Amino acid sequence: MILLDGKKVAAEKRAELRETIAQLQAAGKRAPKLAIVIVGHNPASETYVANKIKACGEVGIEAEKIAFEADITEQQLLAEVSRLNHDATIDGFIVQLPLPEHISETTIMSAIDRRKDVDGLTPENVGRTVQGLPSIISATPRGIRELLAYYQIPTEGRHVVVIGRSNIVGKPIAMLLMQRPYLSLPSMSAASLGDATVTICHSKTRDLKSICLTADIIIVAAGCPKLLTADMVKEGVTIIDVGINRVDGKLVGDVDFENVAPKAAYITPVPGGVGPMTIVSLLQNTLQAYMLKGER
Ligand code: NAD
């Protein structure tokens, strides 16, 4: 069993980013800048935002946190999105999810200029990804692809089972892995990721076990501890565990790691697997937006 060490890979990717940004600055260019909008005081969101800001600092991306109280209206938030869309000093921005219930996430996401949408969540970016056009890919799916590429795990012709159908993980990773591989990332080392046969499972799927038993690669993003158990996987499977759950004060994924890992050829740990890759992908997306801006 080989551990897919997201922490190590993300550190290497951050070093590459740091180098690129230092070269840009040495050539007299300004640093890329990311803005992060956060609404309310959700403790998990506060932690994620703090981690993203810290990671920006490590590679030389300027970061600005823009905080609003939970009672901000949708109109006021839309006005802020519009301001950021037009602010030439900001290369990319994200609106940290979830938003309070009185604000429609779809409305806010739809208002973000796709060229600054470094979370890759606007309908335009998602649609372009589906059609295989150049787009900004959302951070977690991008990170998963980077991890598979780094360990040279082929997907062509293989059966990938994705558990979870969210807009931020399940749907986009399924789409990317079934694409023809022309949609490769600039930083990608493996030539062909894609061309997989993909099955998407969710909470209404019947007999998840027999579907998983036919999988060469399983990507779990459900938010259920120990959802994937050893009897559900075949020998030699590759497992990407996206889940983040807190059980008895400990962070765990969606996989019964202890019992599944011995059967797996490759598996991500939680923490230290997909999480660090997600953050570094956001930084890569910010640099991508900065570069695109230079071309406009
Ligand atoms: P979500 O929370 O929006 O939805 C969960 C999905 O899992 C749904 O599509 C649901 O149908 C499916 N599901 C739930 N229970 C199931 C079951 N018993 N069997 C089959 N399918 C089931 O999804 P999300 O936002 O993608 O988050 C999923 C998990 O991934 C969460 O734990 C979240 O914290 C984590 N996450 C981690 C990262 C990271 O960087 N590591 C990034 C995003 C999300």
Side-chain angles (χ1 to χ4, degrees), residues 85-271:
N85 281 342
H86 293 101
D87 184 337
T89 67
I90 306 277
D91 300 293
F93 66 97
I94 64 172
V95 178
Q96 183 69 37
L97 301 179
L99 291 171
E101 273 184 13
H102 66 279
I103 299 178
S104 157
E105 290 182 358
T106 313
T107 303
I108 299 299
M109 291 302 122
S110 303
I112 298 173
D113 183 331
R114 77 164 175 84
R115 295 164 300 188
K116 293 193 175 188
D117 167 31
V118 288
D119 252 348
L121 295 179
T122 60
E124 261 179 295
N125 265 322
V126 175
R128 291 173 69 89
T129 303
V130 170
Q131 294 197 346
L133 297 169
S135 62
I136 300 181
I137 295 167
S138 63
T140 304
R142 179 175 180 156
I144 294 171
R145 282 216 330 182
E146 295 268 4
L147 204 54
L148 291 170
Y150 184 92
Y151 285 91
Q152 302 283 314
I153 297 168
T155 56
E156 185 187 309
R158 302 182 84 198
H159 185 204
V160 176
V161 170
V162 177
I163 307 177
R165 55 179 161 183
S166 71
N167 287 338
I168 62 166
V169 187
K171 281 190 223 165
I173 190 63
M175 194 52 58
L176 287 169
L177 293 180
M178 70 105 182
Q179 294 268 15
R180 296 186 64 166
Y182 53 76
L183 206 153
S184 62
L185 295 168
S187 61
M188 209 91 178
S189 50
S192 59
L193 270 176
D195 275 342
T197 302
V198 180
T199 303
I200 305 178
C201 300
H202 47 76
S203 53
K204 304 284 183 235
T205 297
R206 290 186 193 157
D207 203 0
L208 186 62
K209 178 177 170 178
S210 42
I211 299 170
C212 288
L213 278 168
T214 67
D216 302 306
I217 299 173
I218 303 178
I219 300 173
V220 206
C224 299
K226 295 199 178 175
L227 174 64
L228 194 74
T229 48
D231 58 323
M232 295 169 75
V233 304
K234 66 180 183 189
E235 290 285 340
V237 68
T238 292
I239 310 258
I240 307 286
D241 189 353
V242 184
I244 302 177
N245 310 289
R246 197 168 278 279
V247 176
D248 299 333
K250 254 183 75 184
L251 276 192
V252 297
D254 290 348
V255 177
D256 178 8
F257 185 89
E258 200 187 333
N259 296 306
V260 171
K263 289 181 87 174
Y266 299 92
I267 187 165
T268 56
V270 176

